[in-house]
Amino acid sequence: MPVVEVRNLRKTYGSKVAVADVSFSVERGEIFGILGPNGAGKTTTVECLEGLRTPDAGTLSVLGLDPRRDTAELRQILGVQLQESQLPDRLKVREALDLYASFYRSPADQGPLVDLLGLTDRLDTPYKKLSGGQKQRLSIALALIGGPEVAVLDELTTGLDPQARRDTWQLIENVRDSGVTVLLVTHFMEEAERLCDRIAVIDAGSVVAVDTPAGLVAGVDAEQRIRFRPSAPLDDELLAALPEVRSVQRQGQYVQVTGTGNVLHAVTALLARRRIVAEELRVEQTSLDDAFVALTGRKLA
């Protein structure tokens, strides 16, 4: 059985439809991503799963429990890192862990947990004095202190600098490797592509696709984008005449060629015949961002 199952979920607030029709399932041991723009219905979906909101329609199950009926039992096996959270400034890391551990019948051993999350030398540090990355690590620790089988992490790395974001990604992979199934809500393409085994793309309150990152990308025409600065004048029409080339664009001194098949060889061979060097050459493959645009008709900010 799937660890998490959502079928035809709908949630409205008055006349506003937050979630129109969402269905997906999560298998044990995977990192499952919910990807979409702000306002797409991602957080409302997981809040219904967590028992924090009551859906208007649909069925939900987490490890066989109904979040509406089995809320107390669910909270013993489900760890949650909220999109926004705040602790008292003077509360120490150790005190926060002890407080949250008291909520559970069988809390996790704090020693290995703080080691895993790199908080061992911050146990006596007040919350106010933690860096942004350390606060995120603590929020993950508090989500895991109950020894959950499933962890919901909502907009995990929003506001972190690039290095702290990558450090946090490694931590989440370690959490999954420890046996926890992770449901990750994000609007960062790179985060979803790096971490997720499968992704549900949500737009305007509905699921538009569920697949692996590679599967989503494979559903889009396989294009390459070649960007370079020609060392000598180059007529764009010569490039556009190549059968592999779909479009040619100028960006200041740079030329961007989009094409399929063996377009890179075709372009470089043309340049070589004309003794033109492709300086600052950069080649990009079809990405998850391209797949999102193809599915929704717009970029994800």
Side-chain angles (χ1 to χ4, degrees):
M1 288 181 58
V3 172
V4 175
E5 193 158 18
V6 179
R7 289 287 173 264
N8 306 117
L9 176 65
R10 181 177 176 84
K11 177 64 179 176
T12 61
Y13 301 101
S15 60
K16 178 179 173 56
V17 179
V19 177
D21 184 11
V22 166
S23 299
F24 62 84
S25 61
V26 181
E27 301 300 325
R28 186 176 297 276
E30 71 176 341
I31 299 178
F32 185 90
I34 298 180
L35 176 68
N38 292 329
K42 307 186 303 296
T43 294
T44 299
T45 296
V46 296
E47 286 177 345
C48 290
L49 276 171
E50 295 157 1
L52 298 177
R53 298 193 184 277
T54 302
D56 299 321
T59 59
L60 303 96
S61 173
V62 181
L63 292 164
L65 300 176
D66 183 332
R68 292 165 289 189
R69 186 185 62 240
D70 308 313
T71 305
E73 187 62 29
L74 178 64
R75 288 175 181 169
Q76 293 295 318
I77 59 174
L78 179 68
V80 177
Q81 179 258 334
L82 298 173
Q83 187 178 102
E84 294 183 13
S85 60
Q86 188 73 24
L87 294 174
D89 286 345
R90 290 189 289 180
L91 188 71
K92 295 179 180 178
V93 170
R94 187 192 309 276
E95 294 169 336
L97 291 167
D98 289 341
L99 174 63
Y100 274 65
S102 70
F103 301 154
Y104 299 96
R105 291 191 297 263
S106 303
D109 186 346
Q110 291 188 25
L113 182 59
V114 295
D115 285 344
L116 174 67
L117 296 171
L119 292 170
T120 303
D121 61 348
R122 291 290 182 267
L123 289 174
D124 293 315
T125 302
Y127 183 78
K128 182 180 181 179
K129 293 188 177 181
L130 297 176
S131 68
Q134 290 165 349
K135 287 178 179 178
Q136 284 293 70
R137 292 184 185 194
L138 177 57
S139 71
I140 298 169
L142 297 178
L144 300 177
I145 193 65
E149 295 183 53
V150 180
V152 179
L153 307 176
D154 193 353
E155 300 292 0
L156 178 69
T157 60
T158 297
L160 296 186
D161 63 65
Q163 185 57 55
R165 180 172 292 140
R166 282 166 175 75
D167 290 344
T168 304
W169 292 347
Q170 183 60 58
L171 292 175
I172 299 312
E173 289 174 331
N174 294 344
V175 168
R176 187 266 306 277
D177 293 343
S178 72
V180 179
T181 301
V182 177
L183 185 58
L184 178 68
V185 180
T186 185
H187 65 270
F188 290 122
M189 286 292 181
E190 187 181 0
E191 184 165 279
E193 200 158 17
R194 158 76 184 268
L195 290 177
C196 298
D197 299 298
R198 291 189 301 131
I199 298 170
V201 178
I202 295 183
D203 189 42
S206 297
V207 172
V208 295
V210 179
D211 208 334
T212 64
L216 292 172
V217 171
V220 183
D221 285 344
E223 288 187 338
Q224 287 185 342
R225 288 181 295 276
I226 304 165
R227 188 173 186 270
F228 63 93
R229 180 166 56 85
S231 63
L234 175 63
D235 185 353
D236 293 355
E237 294 300 323
L238 295 172
L239 293 169
L242 295 171
E244 297 87 353
V245 171
R246 288 188 173 181
S247 67
V248 179
Q249 294 178 313
R250 284 279 179 172
Q251 299 172 343
Q253 297 180 342
Y254 295 87
V255 177
Q256 179 170 295
V257 179
T258 302
T260 58
N262 205 1
V263 63
L264 178 60
H265 174 74
V267 169
T268 54
L270 171 67
L271 296 178
R273 288 195 299 271
R274 296 190 169 265
R275 299 185 179 180
I276 297 174
V277 177
E279 298 177 345
E280 301 177 46
L281 177 66
R282 180 176 177 180
V283 181
E284 296 179 355
Q285 304 287 345
T286 301
S287 66
L288 187 58
D289 191 58
D290 297 315
F292 187 88
V293 172
L295 289 166
T296 67
R298 57 197 173 95
K299 276 188 170 290
L300 183 58

